Amino acid sequence: MKGAMLHGPRDIRLEDRPDPVIVEPTDAIIRLSATCVCGSDLWPYRGIENVTGPAPMGHEYVGIVEEVGSAVTSIRPGQFVIGSFFASDNTCEICRAGYQTSCVHRQPIGAIGTQAEYARIPLADGTLVATPEVPSADLIPSFLAASDVLGTGWFGAVAAEVKSGSTVAVVGDGAVGLLGVLAAAHFGAERIVISSRHPARQQLAREFGATDVIEARGDEFIAQVRDMTRGLGADCAIEAVGTRESMLQAIGSVRPGGHVGYVGVTHAELPGDRLFFSHTHLHGGPAPVRRFLPELIDLISNGTIDPGKVFDLTVPLDHVADGYRAMDERRAIKTLLTLN
Ligand SMILES: [Zn+2]
């Protein structure tokens, strides 16, 4: 099969890789219907995370089940399935509490690499959720978004405890931040303020439910949010970048006792004194997307939400390098990779 491999900074290639086979009786093999490039793929692509030798890439996926292992009971060949970026058994105590990305048996899908024609998905019964029927082509981008960026933005809003009537600050105008806006709107937020200087992203934020766009970051953003909230700060913030600056922007935007849901992969050390005196509730981490998949599949199937709009570039898997480059240069919000 063909699959993407990262050889070093900004050196991604589509290569021949071995066809995946069933290794454990709990595995499934899927044929990808579509896959995509994640903002977090840019960390190794840019060399900010070390790459040791050629590494398979991609952890977002939707596809058709080709084959299942002998111990798989609920997933069947022919189903259209969605899974998250960690395989999980969905039965251990941590999974049952809703934190499938910390499953005691979790396995990272990124190590398997789903920017490829086929993929082996471990713990298929726990990891994969089948749609009621094989969807029409127009719904595939939205289901693919559910595999990571929608589920992650959703968790950002859940972790930030967005409620009906909340004022929410969103830090980050990438796919996750934009879908955090969508989630906050779904949960009934009254005012959703996003930090963005990029016209196309501002436009999509407004389509997803943002009420205010602030073209500033850091202290200037915080000051404007305070002006909107009688000097108190927002009720909640969704942090979707992962830097020290973005975390401090989110923490500074909420009122004492407010909630920050942080879902950007954190590459930052934070000042303990500022955290202590902020009275902020912090909750985040790798989103337990699996928790939300059944609900998200329903909302996409019945047309309530259209998260597939975050894909503003579509290229064939053969052109995976163009897809990375466009995201690296911020010409694309998110690249969808099609398969033949
Ligand atoms: Zn588990």
Side-chain angles (χ1 to χ4, degrees):
M1 70 165 186
K2 299 284 187 195
M5 299 288 281
L6 184 67
H7 285 255
R10 293 186 168 80
D11 182 6
I12 184 114
R13 306 177 200 168
L14 194 74
E15 295 181 349
D16 287 320
R17 292 183 52 200
D19 287 341
V21 295
I22 300 283
V23 177
E24 300 290 336
T26 46
D27 290 345
I29 305 296
I30 64 167
R31 177 168 49 84
L32 277 287
S33 300
T35 181
C36 51
V37 182
C38 185
S40 66
D41 293 333
L42 297 180
W43 293 98
Y45 178 79
R46 290 169 171 160
I48 297 166
E49 274 172 17
N50 261 342
V51 180
T52 48
M57 294 296 289
H59 54 262
E60 297 156 287
Y61 54 100
V62 292
I64 301 287
V65 178
E66 290 270 311
E67 187 185 354
V68 297
S70 59
V72 174
T73 57
S74 64
I75 295 297
R76 302 185 302 276
Q79 287 179 320
F80 182 90
V81 290
I82 307 166
S84 159
F85 48 87
F86 273 106
S88 54
D89 58 21
N90 212 32
T91 55
C92 76
E93 279 186 49
I94 306 299
C95 282
R96 280 185 282 133
Y99 290 87
Q100 288 89 342
T101 28
S102 284
C103 173
V104 299
H105 296 120
R106 73 175 186 179
Q107 295 184 48
I109 301 293
I112 290 165
T114 58
Q115 288 161 4
E117 293 177 300
Y118 294 87
R120 180 181 71 89
I121 306 298
L123 303 169
D125 280 331
T127 305
L128 297 172
V129 181
T131 56
E133 53 204 41
V134 175
S136 55
D138 57 315
L139 286 179
I140 286 179
S142 286
F143 285 124
L144 179 61
S147 176
D148 182 353
V149 283
L150 173 62
T152 297
W154 206 264
F155 178 58
V158 168
E161 303 211 1
V162 176
K163 295 180 175 66
S164 178
S166 295
T167 295
V168 186
V170 179
V171 179
D173 64 357
V176 171
L178 293 168
L179 290 167
V181 169
L182 179 150
H186 182 78
F187 296 143
E190 187 175 304
R191 203 150 185 200
I192 303 170
V193 187
I194 187 168
S195 177
S196 177
R197 294 171 176 168
H198 191 290
R201 294 165 193 247
Q202 293 175 356
Q203 169 64 28
L204 193 51
R206 290 193 187 275
E207 285 177 37
F208 283 154
T211 55
D212 300 83
V213 173
I214 295 177
E215 292 196 352
R217 294 182 187 161
D219 290 342
E220 177 57 28
F221 178 86
I222 292 168
Q224 290 195 37
V225 170
R226 288 186 181 275
D227 281 347
M228 292 175 178
T229 53
R230 293 171 291 117
L232 300 176
D235 301 299
C236 338
I238 299 169
E239 188 286 325
V241 181
T243 62
R244 175 187 165 94
E245 292 71 23
S246 62
M247 280 296 283
L248 293 178
Q249 184 175 330
I251 292 163
S253 299
V254 296
R255 60 187 59 195
H259 293 77
V260 173
Y262 64 101
V263 290
V265 181
T266 301
H267 288 67
E269 285 184 17
L270 296 174
D273 55 341
R274 279 181 69 177
L275 290 178
F276 181 79
F277 286 104
S278 73
H279 266 148
T280 305
H281 298 75
L282 292 176
H283 184 197
V289 173
R290 176 63 183 82
R291 187 204 305 180
F292 308 114
L293 280 178
E295 178 185 6
L296 297 177
I297 288 171
D298 280 352
L299 292 171
I300 292 165
S301 299
N302 66 26
T304 304
I305 58 174
D306 186 9
K309 286 197 277 190
V310 292
F311 293 105
D312 58 346
L313 178 66
T314 297
V315 297
L317 180 64
D318 298 352
H319 295 241
V320 62
D322 297 335
Y324 272 79
R325 201 175 308 118
M327 283 179 64
D328 180 35
E329 295 170 0
R330 284 178 70 84
R331 285 182 284 112
I333 300 171
K334 194 164 176 71
T335 304
L336 186 141
L337 301 168
T338 56
L339 292 111
N340 297 324

